[in-house]
Amino acid sequence: MSRINKNVVLALLTLASSAFLLFQLYYYKHYLSTKNGAGLSKSKGSRIGFDSTQWRAVKKFIMLTSNQNVPVFLIDPLILELINKNFEQVKNTSHGSTSQCKFFCVPRDFTAFALQYHLWKNEEGWFRIAENMGFQCLKIESKDPRLDGIDSLSGTEIPLHYICKLATHAIHLVVFHERSGNYLWHGHLRLKEHIDRKFVPFRKLQFGRYPGAFDRPELQQVTVDGLEVLIPKDPMHFVEEVPHSRFIECRYKEARAFFQQYLDDNTVEAVAFRKSAKELLQLAAKTLNKLGVPFWLSSGTCLGWYRQCNIIPYSKDVDLGIFIQDYKSDIILAFQDAGLPLKHKFGKVEDSLELSFQGKDDVKLDIFFFYEETDHMWNGGTQAKTGKKFKYLFPKFTLCWTEFVDMKVHVPCETLEYIEANYGKNQQGV
């Protein structure tokens, strides 16, 4: 019996000694090390994530663009959203004070930056320097659509996208070009035959699936994950623009063909009307933008853009479309305050609303409100003299940006179907 007791006591003593040893190790690791030695451990903890491939690629890219004076700013939607959520923290972070990589270290294949091409003074050489720094770079070019209306310059190529890869992470540099409507435009990323389709996962790119147009952003410099970068001053405004940025060009080639068949009207009256119509459209756009009401070119104004890239001189009015859900009760007052008195109001908000305002020089602004059904859209029309009502049906459509009379405006993306719903298959005589 005493022998058994001795074994039990020995086992208990061994367990107690082991427990005490484990406690000492735990205490040293979690308490003494943070007070005394452990400078190495603390230093390592303060650099969490900074060894990631993403951060190193972005750091090298920022060093490159800074040294070569390449005017870039961050446009990556994912990172801009994260910055916006932590904006006060980012705004108050100084260079070198960051303890953890929270933004550029988020796992992803690409980081997107925009290049302001009109501010770039030294294009030559940076490509070679990037490759000397370890980047593999790809340049995407295509013809400049701004020159399509000029026969002698049509076909001139400009850079649209650069993709620079470092290890497994790539920088997508989207080239933003100035357009005459005081906005920024980027082109379609279309791969030519000789380009390696496996260079990067192109399908995951967030920019370049189609041309895009953006308001010119005001920029500010911030420190993100220890790196100084320029970002839009209103990050979420830019992020919200991205899914609605699709841009379509006027059909310059078809417009030239149209004018070869039907001579353009360049009489004094036609020139004067186009000038007045352009001013009215600019005033209407300014008024609606101030109200936050999206609109698009409709009816004859849309036909003029599609068919001849200009205002139809004999149309005698400017036509706009607005979705009824975007109607605001102070829209009439806003136009009257802008110097455009109400001429006609037909229908009601819930049915066939149409507003007509009188511009100067007898040019009228007609606004048609569109209603959405399950499989189509429609707007109402009322004959001014008789009061007879009409209902015009349209296939469902989405909105794209375009450039018209030096303005960035919306048109239906499905333009031909929209115009055919209004004027039929043959619009040449309209």
Side-chain angles (χ1 to χ4, degrees), residues 82-313:
L82 290 173
I83 290 173
N84 188 68
K85 288 177 184 175
N86 302 273
F87 200 63
E88 287 304 313
Q89 176 192 337
V90 170
K91 203 164 59 172
N92 296 321
T93 300
S94 59
H95 182 68
S97 66
T98 307
S99 62
Q100 186 174 355
C101 184
K102 296 181 179 178
F103 304 97
F104 289 128
C105 297
V106 175
R108 65 203 182 284
D109 295 297
F110 299 92
T111 301
F113 286 83
L115 165 66
Q116 302 178 82
Y117 193 73
H118 57 286
L119 299 177
W120 199 7
K121 306 299 183 187
N122 185 25
E123 182 179 355
E124 296 299 323
W126 90 275
F127 208 73
R128 176 180 46 79
I129 295 170
E131 291 180 332
N132 289 340
M133 291 176 70
F135 285 103
Q136 293 175 273
C137 291
L138 180 67
K139 181 180 182 180
I140 309 291
E141 292 182 302
S142 191
K143 67 177 185 176
D144 189 344
R146 297 168 295 181
L147 304 177
D148 274 359
I150 307 172
D151 285 329
S152 60
L153 296 176
S154 181
T156 302
E157 292 209 332
I158 53 172
L160 298 180
H161 298 265
Y162 292 95
I163 297 175
C164 291
K165 183 171 69 171
L166 185 71
T168 59
H169 193 71
I171 304 297
H172 181 196
L173 185 56
V174 185
V175 184
F176 276 26
H177 295 270
E178 273 191 323
R179 299 287 293 239
S180 57
N182 194 32
Y183 62 96
L184 300 178
W185 169 92
H186 72 76
H188 183 195
L189 197 159
R190 187 176 284 110
L191 298 179
K192 296 182 179 178
E193 288 184 9
H194 68 278
I195 292 176
D196 180 8
R197 264 62 178 171
K198 295 180 181 178
F199 181 67
V200 291
F202 290 101
R203 291 183 181 275
K204 294 184 180 181
L205 290 172
Q206 292 186 278
F207 298 89
R209 294 174 192 168
Y210 41 73
F214 291 84
D215 294 337
R216 185 190 298 273
E218 188 178 349
L219 302 176
Q220 65 176 337
Q221 186 166 330
V222 294
T223 300
V224 180
D225 294 335
L227 303 173
E228 291 184 359
V229 293
L230 284 172
I231 65 169
K233 201 164 188 178
D234 185 349
M236 284 314 297
H237 175 72
F238 185 90
V239 170
E240 288 162 3
E241 282 188 284
V242 174
H244 309 290
S245 62
R246 187 180 173 191
F247 183 95
I248 54 180
E249 293 287 350
C250 172
R251 307 182 318 145
Y252 294 106
K253 183 179 178 181
E254 289 79 0
R256 287 198 296 270
F258 177 82
F259 286 125
Q260 285 174 359
Q261 187 174 358
Y262 304 93
L263 291 179
D264 194 10
D265 186 350
N266 290 315
T267 60
V268 173
E269 294 78 14
V271 171
F273 168 74
R274 279 179 168 151
K275 181 176 181 294
S276 297
K278 177 181 177 179
E279 290 172 355
L280 179 58
L281 178 57
Q282 289 173 332
L283 182 57
K286 183 179 178 181
T287 305
L288 291 170
N289 289 338
K290 193 173 179 181
L291 286 172
V293 175
F295 68 93
W296 65 91
L297 305 182
S298 190
S299 303
T301 308
C302 185
L303 176 62
W305 168 79
Y306 181 78
R307 189 177 64 186
Q308 53 217 73
C309 299
N310 208 336
I311 294 166
I312 299 174

Side-chain angles (χ1 to χ4, degrees), residues 344-360:
H344 295 297
K345 179 183 178 182
F346 299 116
K348 303 174 182 178
V349 173
E350 59 272 16
D351 177 30
S352 306
L353 182 64
E354 179 187 341
L355 300 176
S356 184
F357 298 91
Q358 185 61 59
K360 68 176 186 178

Side-chain angles (χ1 to χ4, degrees), residues 57-77:
V58 172
K59 180 185 178 183
K60 270 199 170 186
F61 176 76
I62 290 173
M63 285 173 55
L64 167 68
T65 55
S66 177
N67 291 339
Q68 297 300 310
N69 295 316
V70 184
V72 302
F73 63 95
L74 182 68
I75 58 170
D76 195 285

